[in-house]
Amino acid sequence: MTDFAEAHRPSNLSQTGLSETETERVSYLRAGHSLSSWLFTTDHKRIAILYLISITFFFFVGGAAAALIRLDLLTPKADLLTNEGYNRAFTIHGVIMVWFFLIPSIPNTFGNFLVPLMIGARDLAFPRLNLLSWYIFMLAGLFTLFVLIAGGVDTGWTFYTPLSSMFAHANVVLAATAVFIAGFSSILTGINFIVTTHKLRCPGMTWGRLPLFVWSIYATSLVLVLATPVLSITLVLIAAERLFGLGIFNPALGGDPLLYQHLFWFYSHPAVYIMVLPALGVVSELVAAAAHKPIFGYQFVAGSSLAIAVIGFFVWGHHMFVAGQSMYASAVFSFLSLLVAVPSGIKVYNWTATLYKGHISLDPPFLFAMAFIGLFVVGGLTGLILAMLAVDVHVHDTYFVVAHFHYIMVGGTVSAFFGALHFWWPKMIGRKYSLVWGRLSAIFIFLGFNLTFFPQFLLGYWGMPRRYHVYAPQFQVLHVFSSTGASVLAVAYLVPFLYLFYSMRYGEPAGDNPWPAIGLEWTTPSPPPKHNFAKIPVVSGPPYDYHVEIEGKDG
Amino acid sequence: MVETLVTEPYSDPRQQHDAAMMGMYIFLGNEVMLFGGLFAVALYTRLVHTKEAVAASRALHYGIGGTNTAILLTSSLCIALAVEAGRQGERKLAIRWLIGAIVLGLGFLSLKGYEYLEEFQEGLMPFTGFDTAIKTPVQHLYMDLYLIATGLHALHMVIGVGLLAYLVIGLSKRWIVVPERAITLIVVGLYWHFVDAVWVFLYPVLYLAR
Amino acid sequence: MADPWSSLLPAEASNYSSQVDLLTGLMLVLALGLSAPVFILMAYFAVKYRRGKPANRTHAANRNIWLEISWSAIPFVALLGFYLWSTDLSARLYHAPGNALQIDVVAKQWMWKFQHPEGQGEINELHVPVDQPVRLIMASQDVIHSLYLPALRIKQDVVPGRYTSEWFTANRPGIYMLACAEYCGANHSEMGGRIIVLDKADYARWLGQSSVDNSLALAGAALFRARGCSGCHEPGATVHAPRLDGIYGKTVALQTGETVIADDQYLRDSILLPQSQIAAGYPPIMPTFQNVLSEEDVLKIIAYIKSLQPEANTQ
């Protein structure tokens, strides 16, 4: 398998780093050099790269807001930002990170790149819609940047009424429009993946042989398509209220502020599953590849993605336990919120069982997968704590909640994103990177993350509310720990850019299957040619068909 | 079905046709969720504040609404005939039926605009800053719902008319070839039928609450 | 009076707080029990089954239905136990005892106003007696706020357009944190204060020392007259308007045929949104006082109406 790379490596590669292999010469990256060949591409792999660049950009913008927040929180007084400035900082941090980083991150980069390859197709079902969804995403992003330049918005990413509909001064309609536009990108993405999975599987690729990443993208797409329109209508209602004074959420006119919360969370809770389901799919792939073993309980793991997607639609009221909803509603939502944790638990236990009697390699992707599992488990268990009514009444709207969701979204999704990047980078770019640096990144991201967010659980239980930048002095010690952790995390997130960019020029050519791992994407050259496969593959065996010992020799 | 234009990534025309249909159905499912929230609010209002909701509904012009319903149903018939013509390769006939649907669609929108004007003059519109004939907070909420639901529907109608116009131009200039690319007409036709179906539910829910 | 802010564990100022802490503590134990095996096993497997390292890897199963079901069902059943405990615990928050001392709260950007029944008013500070159930009736003047009392482990959103309430029985004198826990605009971080739990003697002394203009009910009576309510609602008025003596807590028949209990919310809506629920047999001519009365004023008028005894001869 490595002979191919050996045969095609020019002798002067390590000296100048400028030559390209034969494979690279015919890859999708070289199929057209002009700007328009990129901006008008319908190749899912190029669109994935376009998304990768844009979401990375937005990650930095959202991260800059986070940096301001953590710096300001070093002291109990308003030393860095004004009250209004801080409010705008956490609002833009939330808006950008949720809609312009987390939601598109894995589906639109790795989903776009890998789904056709994994199912043996040449592209997604609607290549032009795929490009359109990127343009819509960029338009929405530009709107948001415009909002930022125009002074930002200060309602929190949750836009609660009547604060946002009647009292907030700035840019609410503009921000709502930006998010509304971004919603269309989500919907088109979801439609594309669903139809692709149904219609473009290669011969022999039955549903029971799909890689678990594809299952997770499919489940995510169901949520994208069904939940996003509820957000769209909610944003329209806010804009209508602000522009025409309609009074739907205005109690003085008979409206109901809680109606907004129901509508908003009906979308936003499934939205967090949009953010985490793809990450769970990535981890399944990373664990199988690291252990050289099929994922234990494939059917349960595949089914759990669908179960999370479905049950996730029925738990939104757990954001409203103290909002003034009835005790009975709260009891039902609390119960269902416990139920939704069961499929997540299945995944984690199955991954552990996969490692049993495996052939485990401690490469960066696996370290990122372990980081994910450690952090996701903490996040998930604290979610269970939050689902308990009596506890939630105390810690709702405190830093406990902030810590919980950052453990899942940052500790979870971002770690999985980096894990995916480190696993499929050789496939996407065709070069290997330094494994030592990769492992160090995983370790420092894990440590920096815990230092940043674990103290916040304590802050929350001790009573520090969220969205506060002026706080009681006894909370300062924990905030200093948290901000210190944030600076470690920031550096740890930046370092991969260095060695990954370096590898683009100076890395060793990867060959088709550098790890090696089992999956259709690993049967194509690295980077793949524009049409993915010379001949559409025919699948005849189970997924993750690693050699499993029945008896006899070990190793 | 004679479809000679199979594009990547498809390998056969049946697969491509099925994918297009599936994509449109999923999109329409998504649209159901969009209007679903509004219907949920309407249902809640009707169940909890029955008397005021009925009173508010009586203030609406069900005659105009009824006429609009008839117009829209007829336009859907035109669309169905246009799609069938497209399938048979009858380019000119398809164009004529499409133009008929456009005319009826524009008629719907004009009548709706006239209706809004009437309601505004009667003081039924829930805008602040104007003299209002709205009697109860529930009626205010009801008019909010009416405005947003019919406004959203009208927006979909405008988009629909735009799509039909694109089809007419495309067929005239032969960018769209029938019967090979009849799928384009089918898919747009599905969208139009859906918008019609939304109205068929909106009309009784809003206008005929008794 | 000890200042519990300095202790290492979060201050517990009520029996309920201790129970919440116990629940949380045991949940953490369960969480550890559910997760520690995962962490330990993963680390252990990563070492023992390292690629290239000799080990017994024969007969590695790919699926085991019973194992899957058991590690789904057993944690879930354990969680159910906690669910029942937690739901029961929180259910008590919805029913204040009948002898609760009622204190009215008005939240506005960006301060808390507390009104004791005898008229003592406080801003951002709340004095309460120890070992006495206290029920807070809360209204918002503008946006959604949330009254959070960490030491008592309770919070409740204060939603404009309605009354919400929370209740507690503090069992340890001290000064504790009070904060707004629902983002409410620019100075949300500064909308905090203190709750001061006093033993009975100190509380009585504090009540006596506080300046009192009027009890809430007396202040309400003054407003009732000043704003013209008595013009229609007093006996002898020419306008046909519902009599208010003894109305609090009674069943009222509405024009739509439904009946409602005349509670605080009903009285508030009758004053601020008179068209929303019209009493049967009366013309819908009451004007709204939406822009005339603040939430505080309304609370005072309601206190006054509550104090009105029904006349000896009922109709």
Side-chain angles (χ1 to χ4, degrees):
Chain A
M1 160 268 322
T2 48
D3 293 343
F4 182 85
E6 298 272 330
H8 289 261
R9 189 190 315 162
S11 52
N12 60 346
L13 186 66
S14 53
Q15 286 152 4
T16 65
L18 288 174
S19 308
E20 51 185 17
T21 63
E22 182 63 40
T23 314
E24 288 169 334
R25 223 165 274 137
V26 300
S27 78
Y28 76 99
L29 287 169
R30 301 282 184 273
H33 292 258
S34 61
L35 192 60
S36 59
S37 76
W38 278 91
L39 293 179
F40 293 108
T41 182
T42 54
D43 180 357
H44 66 101
K45 301 181 290 299
R46 285 195 164 199
I47 295 175
I49 302 288
L50 289 175
Y51 265 107
L52 184 60
I53 297 170
S54 8
I55 60 150
T56 304
F57 168 73
F58 285 112
F59 183 63
F60 282 126
V61 177
L68 281 175
I69 291 170
R70 284 303 340 154
L71 280 171
D72 191 36
L73 289 173
L74 277 170
T75 63
K77 300 240 186 312
D79 286 326
L80 183 66
L81 300 169
T82 61
N83 285 359
E84 286 87 348
Y86 183 81
N87 296 341
R88 283 157 209 254
F90 72 69
T91 302
I92 208 74
H93 171 73
V95 169
I96 290 193
M97 287 308 206
V98 167
W99 282 296
F100 296 95
F101 176 67
L102 284 168
I103 283 181
S105 61
I106 295 176
N108 287 100
T109 52
F110 299 105
N112 258 335
F113 196 96
L114 294 167
V115 169
L117 288 169
M118 284 179 167
I119 64 173
R122 296 202 188 284
D123 208 313
L124 291 180
F126 307 116
R128 287 171 301 178
L129 272 190
N130 199 10
L131 183 67
L132 180 65
S133 75
W134 182 72
Y135 274 109
I136 295 175
F137 173 77
M138 292 304 286
L139 180 66
L142 273 157
F143 255 82
T144 308
L145 289 175
F146 182 67
V147 167
L148 189 56
I149 294 167
V153 63
D154 62 350
T155 56
W157 80 279
T158 46
F159 294 107
Y160 269 26
T161 60
L163 178 64
S164 67
S165 52
M166 288 166 58
F167 290 83
H169 297 303
N171 297 329
V172 174
V173 176
L174 210 54
T177 308
V179 177
F180 179 82
I181 296 174
F184 284 105
S185 177
S186 294
I187 291 169
L188 292 178
T189 300
I191 295 176
N192 228 336
F193 283 133
I194 293 174
V195 180
T196 303
T197 314
H198 277 272
K199 291 295 171 193
L200 284 171
R201 284 168 289 125
C202 64
M205 177 62 79
T206 60
W207 284 91
R209 290 175 178 163
L210 281 176
L212 290 165
F213 179 67
V214 179
W215 273 107
S216 71
I217 294 288
Y218 183 80
T220 307
S221 301
L222 291 174
V223 184
L224 281 168
V225 163
L226 295 173
T228 312
V230 181
L231 175 72
S232 309
I233 196 76
T234 308
L235 293 169
V236 164
L237 292 178
I238 291 242
E241 180 113 345
R242 261 184 99 80
L243 293 174
F244 307 118
L246 293 183
I248 315 149
F249 307 124
N250 181 356
L253 292 174
D256 186 1
L258 250 63
L259 176 64
Y260 172 81
Q261 290 183 38
H262 281 294
L263 287 169
F264 178 81
W265 288 113
F266 187 82
Y267 159 78
S268 294
H269 191 82
V272 314
Y273 294 113
I274 295 174
M275 297 184 240
V276 91
L277 278 170
L280 293 167
V282 165
V283 173
S284 287
E285 298 295 326
L286 299 184
V287 168
H292 267 190
K293 204 167 154 274
I295 289 285
F296 183 90
Y298 169 93
Q299 286 162 329
F300 272 78
V301 177
S304 66
S305 289
L306 291 175
I308 292 172
V310 170
I311 303 176
F313 270 97
F314 298 105
V315 301
W316 79 90
H318 68 223
H319 299 270
M320 296 168 62
F321 284 151
V322 298
Q325 87 186 345
S326 91
M327 183 175 85
Y328 302 104
S330 292
V332 169
F333 282 121
S334 170
F335 177 81
L336 291 170
S337 304
L338 296 177
L339 197 61
V340 81
V342 172
S344 301
I346 288 176
K347 285 186 195 276
V348 172
Y349 293 140
N350 284 24
W351 290 328
T352 312
T354 305
L355 293 179
Y356 177 61
K357 294 190 172 174
H359 307 257
I360 301 164
S361 151
L362 297 179
D363 287 327
F366 180 63
L367 294 187
F368 278 106
M370 289 234 281
F372 174 95
I373 293 171
L375 300 172
F376 174 78
V377 165
V378 172
L381 291 169
T382 50
L384 287 175
I385 294 178
L386 284 166
M388 298 294 172
L389 282 169
V391 184
D392 187 73
V393 171
H394 174 48
V395 295
H396 169 74
D397 253 320
T398 66
Y399 263 83
F400 193 92
V401 178
V402 175
H404 158 72
F405 66 70
H406 281 92
Y407 261 82
I408 306 253
M409 294 204 247
V410 182
T413 303
V414 178
S415 296
F417 180 84
F418 274 84
L421 197 60
H422 284 71
F423 187 55
W424 283 294
W425 180 264
K427 173 60 56 183
M428 291 165 77
I429 301 298
R431 300 293 180 103
K432 296 191 199 177
Y433 56 86
S434 158
L435 295 179
V436 173
W437 278 101
R439 292 190 190 104
L440 282 172
S441 282
I443 293 170
F444 277 99
I445 286 176
F446 181 78
L447 293 174
F449 178 88
N450 276 310
L451 185 58
T452 310
F453 289 102
F454 194 82
Q456 296 187 6
F457 283 122
L458 303 173
L459 278 171
Y461 203 81
W462 262 249
M464 163 124 191
R466 56 184 290 201
R467 295 170 167 170
Y468 266 46
H469 79 130
V470 169
Y471 56 82
Q474 71 263 28
F475 294 130
Q476 185 173 21
V477 174
L478 290 171
H479 273 295
V480 170
F481 274 122
S482 182
S483 297
T484 311
S487 40
V488 171
L489 195 58
V491 172
Y493 279 142
L494 286 171
V495 166
F497 288 95
L498 300 175
Y499 59 80
L500 289 176
F501 277 142
Y502 179 87
S503 77
M504 287 175 84
R505 246 180 180 232
Y506 301 104
E508 196 188 308
D512 291 8
N513 199 351
W515 294 109
I518 296 201
L520 285 178
E521 75 269 28
W522 301 110
T523 65
T524 65
S526 307
K530 185 166 185 234
H531 302 281
N532 293 348
F533 301 96
K535 217 165 71 93
I536 297 289
V538 176
V539 172
S540 55
Y544 311 108
D545 199 7
Y546 292 97
H547 172 64
V548 175
E549 310 256 341
I550 305 298
E551 60 187 270
K553 294 205 318 248
D554 45 23
Chain B
M1 177 153 324
V2 180
E3 234 171 282
T4 56
L5 292 163
V6 178
T7 51
E8 210 183 66
Y10 300 98
S11 47
D12 76 79
R14 180 90 242 164
Q15 189 193 40
Q16 187 166 350
H17 170 87
D18 286 351
M21 293 295 284
M22 189 182 209
M24 184 40 113
Y25 277 120
I26 295 174
F27 176 70
L28 294 181
N30 153 86
E31 290 272 319
V32 166
M33 292 301 286
L34 185 69
F35 283 95
L38 293 175
F39 279 105
V41 174
L43 185 68
Y44 171 80
T45 314
R46 184 74 205 282
L47 288 174
V48 176
H49 301 287
T50 316
K51 277 246 168 80
E52 292 101 324
V54 168
S57 171
R58 280 188 195 278
L60 296 175
H61 304 269
Y62 68 84
I64 301 180
T67 311
N68 259 345
T69 310
I71 292 176
L72 211 47
L73 286 170
T74 314
S75 75
S76 261
L77 177 63
C78 294
I79 293 289
L81 291 166
V83 166
E84 193 47 40
R87 278 203 164 116
Q88 304 299 327
E90 306 260 359
R91 190 181 66 97
K92 291 213 168 88
L93 190 58
I95 292 175
R96 267 183 235 129
W97 284 121
L98 285 171
I99 291 177
I102 291 176
V103 167
L104 288 169
L106 290 173
F108 177 96
L109 288 168
S110 321
L111 202 50
K112 192 91 207 99
Y114 167 72
E115 189 184 2
Y116 281 154
L117 195 61
E118 283 279 299
E119 283 154 350
F120 179 69
Q121 282 166 348
E122 286 169 18
L124 281 174
M125 284 303 190
F127 303 135
T128 51
F130 297 95
D131 292 329
T132 181
I134 295 177
K135 296 198 199 65
T136 63
V138 175
Q139 188 180 15
H140 187 108
L141 199 63
Y142 197 88
M143 292 311 290
D144 283 345
L145 190 63
Y146 163 78
L147 196 58
I148 290 177
T150 56
L152 190 63
H153 178 264
L155 179 64
H156 281 77
M157 285 289 296
V158 168
I159 294 171
V161 168
L163 287 172
L164 293 181
Y166 163 76
L167 286 181
V168 166
I169 298 172
L171 283 168
S172 307
K173 294 202 186 238
R174 296 176 205 268
W175 302 333
I176 303 172
V177 185
V178 284
E180 288 84 356
R181 293 298 297 168
I183 187 69
T184 315
L185 271 75
I186 296 173
V187 156
V188 173
L190 268 179
Y191 175 81
W192 189 271
H193 289 314
F194 173 78
V195 177
D196 188 5
V198 169
W199 179 261
V200 164
F201 281 93
L202 267 185
Y203 175 64
V205 166
L206 291 173
Y207 289 80
L208 302 180
R210 294 293 181 268
Chain C
M1 247 192 316
D3 182 357
W5 274 355
S6 52
S7 65
L8 203 54
L9 291 170
E12 283 176 2
S14 70
N15 198 356
Y16 178 80
S17 302
S18 321
Q19 295 190 53
V20 172
D21 287 351
L22 182 64
L23 173 62
T24 309
L26 288 176
M27 269 229 75
L28 283 172
V29 171
L30 175 67
L32 208 61
L34 292 176
S35 59
V38 168
F39 300 146
I40 295 169
L41 284 175
M42 293 197 83
Y44 174 63
F45 292 157
V47 168
K48 174 164 182 182
Y49 295 110
R50 190 85 191 262
R51 197 175 291 180
K53 188 169 169 185
N56 181 1
R57 294 188 174 83
T58 59
H59 300 289
N62 266 2
R63 48 186 285 177
N64 185 329
I65 307 273
W66 289 115
L67 198 56
E68 301 260 27
I69 292 177
S70 61
W71 67 40
S72 314
I74 294 172
F76 186 67
V77 169
L79 284 174
L80 272 184
F82 279 93
Y83 167 74
L84 293 169
W85 180 11
S86 159
T87 309
D88 173 69
L89 201 55
S90 70
R92 300 183 211 169
L93 294 174
Y94 289 85
H95 305 291
N99 64 334
L101 168 67
Q102 179 172 314
I103 296 179
D104 291 343
V105 182
V106 174
K108 64 195 282 278
Q109 288 172 323
W110 288 276
M111 63 158 87
W112 296 97
K113 290 190 178 180
F114 300 98
Q115 295 273 39
H116 293 253
E118 294 312 310
Q120 295 86 350
E122 315 186 63
I123 292 187
N124 292 337
E125 273 198 0
L126 174 61
H127 287 78
V128 294
V130 76
D131 294 329
Q132 159 73 42
V134 173
R135 180 165 179 247
L136 305 172
I137 306 285
M138 307 189 285
S140 167
Q141 195 67 59
D142 35 47
V143 298
I144 303 180
H145 299 273
S146 188
L147 184 56
Y148 179 32
L149 302 165
L152 298 163
R153 307 289 185 271
I154 58 172
K155 71 165 61 73
Q156 174 63 46
D157 281 7
V158 186
V159 182
R162 60 160 92 175
Y163 291 142
T164 54
S165 74
E166 52 181 340
W167 78 274
F168 58 88
T169 306
N171 67 358
R172 184 186 300 167
I175 304 175
Y176 308 99
M177 190 171 127
L178 175 160
C180 175
E182 181 56 58
Y183 177 66
C184 53
N187 297 339
H188 169 63
S189 319
E190 293 169 341
M191 192 169 159
R194 314 190 302 171
I195 175 172
I196 300 162
V197 182
L198 300 169
D199 61 46
K200 292 281 169 53
D202 288 332
Y203 181 69
R205 206 172 309 130
W206 176 83
L207 279 178
Q209 280 168 0
S210 306
S211 65
V212 178
D213 295 325
N214 267 316
S215 72
L216 281 181
L218 275 173
L223 278 168
F224 193 81
R225 238 156 287 285
R227 296 282 181 247
C229 319
S230 50
C232 297
H233 286 282
E234 220 135 75
T238 47
V239 175
H240 183 48
R243 293 286 296 278
L244 300 178
D245 32 307
I247 196 178
Y248 185 74
K250 287 274 177 355
T251 313
V252 175
L254 297 180
Q255 209 172 56
T256 55
E258 303 156 49
T259 56
V260 290
I261 306 278
D263 59 5
D264 298 70
Q265 186 74 44
Y266 172 77
L267 292 176
R268 178 190 178 280
D269 287 347
S270 301
I271 298 171
L272 299 180
L273 288 172
Q275 301 300 327
S276 62
Q277 290 174 309
I278 303 184
Y282 291 95
I285 53 171
M286 175 167 165
T288 170
F289 287 83
Q290 184 81 48
N291 298 318
V292 175
L293 294 172
S294 70
E295 296 286 345
E296 278 169 77
D297 291 339
V298 172
L299 284 166
K300 288 174 184 161
I301 292 178
I302 291 177
Y304 167 63
I305 295 174
K306 280 190 204 179
S307 72
L308 290 175
Q309 297 303 317
E311 298 203 337
N313 40 326
T314 51
Q315 45 248 56

